[in-house]
Amino acid sequence: MQPARTKPLPFDDYSKHDATALAGLIRAGEVTPAELLETAIARAEAVNTQLNALVTPLYDEGNAMAKQLPQTGLFRGVPFLLKDLELEWAGTPLKSGSRGYQNYISTTDSEVIRRLKGAGLIFFGKTNTPEFGLTPYTESKLYGPARNPWKLTHSPGGSSGGSAAAVAAGIVPAATASDGGGSIRIPASCCGLFGLKPSRGRVTLGPRFGELWNGAVVSHAITRSVRDSAGLLDVVAGGPTYRSLAGDPYGIAPPERPFREEVNREPGKLRIAFSTQALMSSQAVDPECIKAVLETARLLESLGHIVEEVPLPYEKTILTEAFFLNVLSETAATLRELGTYLGRPVRRDDVELNTWAQARLAEGFSAADLAYQKRRWNSLSRSMGQLHETYDLFLTPTLPRPPIVIGTFQNTESEQRLLKLVDSLGGLKYMNGSKTVNDLAERSLGYISFAAITNMTGQPSMSVPLHWSDGGLPIGVMFAAKHGDEATLFRLAGQLEQTKPWFDKRPAL
C-alpha cells in the first residue's frame, strides 16, 4: 500500500538536490516530507524492475515515519534506504541476502538506526546485497543480480550494490552501506558515486555486533555529494561529540570539528603517494584504471599538491593468506550464528554453495593458522604507518578494472567441481596451502586487491568518481589516510568536487 496522494516534487527537481539540499527545502517550507517520499517511491516503482536495487519495499513504514518525524534533525524529511545487512530496524525483515534468514524480523534498532532516525531520515525499503555481504558484486540466489544504472548488463559492485544502484538511479540521494573488503568504495566506484569508509572505531556496530571480520567491517553510506557523506558521518558518529556505545571494542579520538565543516576547508599542500602497480601478476590493472589515477595525479599537482609514485608497500599474500583466512573463518562463524537462530545445524540448502564451501574450507585450518595470519595484519599496519610518516594520502585505483559484466565472477566448471568436492569431504586439511586453494584465493581477491588493505589496517579510505571509461562506465580512484584522519579526506574530496564536479553526471535511465 502506497502513501496517500499528496503533491510530489517532480523527479527532475528532486534529482537536482542532494540530501542536504532536500532537507533545506523542507525547512524552508517549499516541500513536505510526504511529498518527497512520494517522489522517491514513484522513482523506485519506475526503475526498480530494471535495477533490482530495492528488494524489500517498506512504503507503509516510510509513510508512518513521515508522520512522526522529530522536530529537528540535519536530514529531517529526506527519503533514505537501508542495506539489507547488519543494521537492525525493529519490526522489519533483515534477510542478509540469504535463504537462511528469509523469515527473520528484527526486534530492536541498531544504534546507527536510532541515530539516523534522530536525524529525521525516512526509511522506506531495504537494498540488494549478496549473501552475508561476501562478494564484491551483488548476485545472490535469493534476490538475483542488482544492475548498474549506467549499463544494465553490468554489475553495480558489492556488497552494497543495491544501495549504490538506488542512489545512482536517483531513487534516493544516499543510502546505508558497509565495508569489510571494499563494499562501500567498490560500488561507489562502479556507479559514479562518492563512498568513504570511516576509520575503525568511528561508527558503532552495536548492540548486536561488537566487531565483524576482526575489525575489518565498518558501516556508513554511499552518497552523490561529499557534504552528504560528511553530514551522515556526523550523525552516526557524533562529530566532535563522538559517542561510542557501551561495550564497543574500539575507541577513537573525536574530530576537531564536524566533518561537514571540513568539506569547504582548504586542504593545504598535501604530500600524496600513488601507485598503479598490480598486486597480483595474474591480474593486471586495466589501462582505463591506470589512466584514471594518472589523470588524478596531474590534477592534484595542478592544485598545488606534491604527488610521487611509490611501489605498493605490501605483497599479495597479505590478501591471499592473511585476509583470505579471515574471510573463511568469519563465514564459518556466520553459519554457526545462523544455526543458533534456526535452532538446528545449518543445512546445505540453507545457504549458497560458495558460502557453504567457504565455511567447510575453514575447517582445514587450525586456530593457530588463524592467529598467525591475524598477527600479519600488524605488519601491514606498520608498513602503511611508515608510508604515512612521509605522505598525507595514498592514491590507487579503487578497482583494478572497470565495472564487470554481471556473471563475470560466477563459478567456472572447474571451480564448481572444487566447491562440490569441498562440500562432500569436509575438513580438507590436505588442501590447506594447496595451489588450488591459492588460485581460488587469488581469483576471488584480485578484484578487491586495492580496497581490502585499509579494512585490515583500519584506516579511512574514499573512492572519488573522477573518471569515466570510453564506454561511459564510471571508474573511481581511491585515497587512504592515516587512522582517524577522515578530515583530510573530506577536505581533499571537497576540493576535487569543486574542481571536477560529478554531481550532474547521471545515467540515462
Side-chain angles (χ1 to χ4, degrees):
M1 179 179 177
Q2 294 197 12
R5 183 83 179 169
T6 56
K7 183 185 176 184
L9 187 71
F11 174 71
D12 286 347
D13 292 335
Y14 174 79
S15 64
K16 292 175 183 176
H17 297 82
D18 64 358
T20 302
L22 289 174
L25 293 180
I26 290 172
R27 283 192 294 272
E30 297 181 30
V31 68
T32 69
E35 290 166 354
L36 286 187
L37 179 60
E38 185 167 351
T39 300
I41 290 174
R43 180 60 175 172
E45 293 291 291
V47 300
N48 196 55
T49 54
Q50 300 175 73
L51 297 176
N52 195 29
L54 182 65
V55 291
T56 307
L58 297 167
Y59 300 162
D60 287 344
E61 289 83 352
N63 191 38
M65 288 187 77
K67 295 175 181 177
Q68 301 173 1
L69 290 174
Q71 293 302 305
T72 59
L74 186 61
F75 296 106
R76 183 180 181 274
V78 176
F80 197 67
L81 293 171
L82 306 176
K83 180 181 178 181
D84 182 38
L85 190 69
E86 294 159 11
L87 294 179
E88 304 265 4
W89 179 17
T92 67
L94 183 62
K95 300 179 184 180
S96 304
S98 177
R99 292 187 295 263
Y101 279 115
Q102 60 185 325
N103 297 316
Y104 180 86
I105 302 294
S106 297
T107 58
T108 188
D109 284 347
S110 296
E111 181 61 22
V112 163
I113 292 296
R114 296 187 191 112
R115 295 178 186 183
L116 292 171
K117 284 182 176 180
L121 290 158
I122 299 174
F123 317 147
F124 66 98
K126 303 281 184 80
T127 61
N128 202 344
T129 186
E131 186 167 56
F132 305 126
L134 288 173
T135 62
Y137 49 92
T138 302
E139 302 174 22
S140 75
K141 296 295 188 291
L142 178 65
Y143 291 137
R147 298 184 178 275
N148 194 320
W150 291 92
K151 197 169 186 179
L152 296 175
T153 54
H154 285 58
S155 173
S159 63
S160 308
S163 287
V167 174
I171 297 173
V172 287
T176 66
S178 54
D179 193 317
S183 292
I184 290 174
R185 293 157 291 155
I186 290 168
S189 176
C190 291
C191 293
L193 303 169
F194 181 74
L196 181 137
K197 178 192 83 67
S199 299
R200 181 176 299 150
R202 183 70 72 191
V203 181
T204 182
L205 296 174
R208 179 177 176 183
F209 302 109
E211 66 172 13
L212 290 169
W213 287 29
N214 283 296
V217 171
V218 291
S219 183
H220 185 34
I222 289 176
T223 64
R224 288 176 62 199
S225 71
V226 176
R227 68 178 182 176
D228 278 357
S229 180
L232 285 165
L233 191 55
D234 285 333
V235 166
V236 297
T241 57
Y242 162 74
R243 297 166 289 158
S244 63
L245 192 63
D248 278 351
Y250 304 107
I252 191 170
E256 182 178 348
R257 61 185 65 84
F259 289 121
R260 61 187 180 277
E261 293 182 10
E262 301 290 359
V263 176
N264 293 319
R265 291 176 68 88
E266 287 294 322
K269 187 174 185 176
L270 301 175
R271 290 184 63 91
I272 302 172
F274 80 91
S275 179
T276 60
Q277 177 187 342
L279 186 61
M280 301 176 190
S281 58
S282 62
Q283 301 197 34
V285 180
D286 188 276
E288 286 276 17
C289 299
I290 294 174
K291 180 181 178 182
V293 171
L294 296 180
E295 287 184 350
T296 300
R298 288 192 288 270
L299 175 62
L300 292 166
E301 287 180 326
S302 74
L303 293 170
H305 304 298
I306 299 170
V307 185
E308 298 174 352
E309 187 170 8
V310 301
L312 290 177
Y314 43 81
E315 49 85 32
K316 76 172 186 177
T317 63
I318 201 68
L319 282 182
T320 60
E321 295 176 6
F323 190 72
F324 188 55
L325 184 50
N326 180 61
V327 173
L328 297 182
S329 63
E330 287 292 318
T331 303
T334 295
L335 295 201
R336 184 171 294 188
E337 187 176 59
L338 173 59
T340 299
Y341 160 70
L342 294 172
R344 58 167 174 78
V346 174
R347 295 191 290 257
R348 166 66 191 84
D349 61 356
D350 290 322
V351 296
E352 297 175 17
L353 173 60
N354 289 38
T355 303
W356 178 262
Q358 283 187 189
R360 295 297 297 270
L361 191 56
E363 298 170 9
F365 296 87
S366 68
D369 292 330
L370 179 60
Y372 172 73
Q373 294 298 347
K374 182 61 173 68
R375 290 187 181 189
R376 293 184 64 197
W377 291 30
N378 176 64
S379 298
L380 173 64
S381 294
R382 301 302 173 186
S383 295
M384 291 298 288
Q386 290 172 6
L387 181 144
H388 285 291
E389 287 182 345
T390 302
Y391 298 101
D392 299 293
L393 299 173
F394 184 38
L395 165 66
T396 66
T398 306
L399 291 167
R401 57 198 293 187
I404 58 172
V405 173
I406 290 170
T408 295
F409 288 134
Q410 290 301 315
N411 299 332
T412 63
E413 289 185 11
S414 60
E415 288 167 342
Q416 196 76 0
R417 288 194 297 271
L418 169 64
L419 294 178
K420 288 181 178 178
L421 178 65
V422 172
D423 178 19
S424 64
L425 294 180
L428 296 172
K429 295 185 187 303
Y430 75 93
M431 294 186 71
N432 184 347
S434 72
K435 183 178 185 302
T436 303
V437 173
N438 290 338
D439 288 348
L440 182 64
E442 186 163 330
R443 182 175 184 271
S444 64
L445 296 175
Y447 191 57
I448 66 170
S449 56
F450 293 109
I453 295 301
T454 54
N455 294 94
M456 301 172 76
T457 63
Q459 299 168 245
S461 175
M462 66 180 182
S463 181
V464 187
L466 294 178
H467 186 76
W468 268 254
S469 73
D470 291 340
L473 289 169
I475 295 176
V477 294
M478 189 171 69
F479 295 86
K482 65 184 178 181
H483 186 265
D485 193 18
E486 288 92 340
T488 296
L489 292 176
F490 279 127
R491 288 180 203 142
L492 179 63
Q495 184 184 53
L496 293 172
E497 188 178 35
Q498 290 179 1
T499 305
K500 194 175 181 181
W502 61 79
F503 189 86
D504 291 332
K505 286 181 178 285
R506 303 297 305 280
L509 187 68

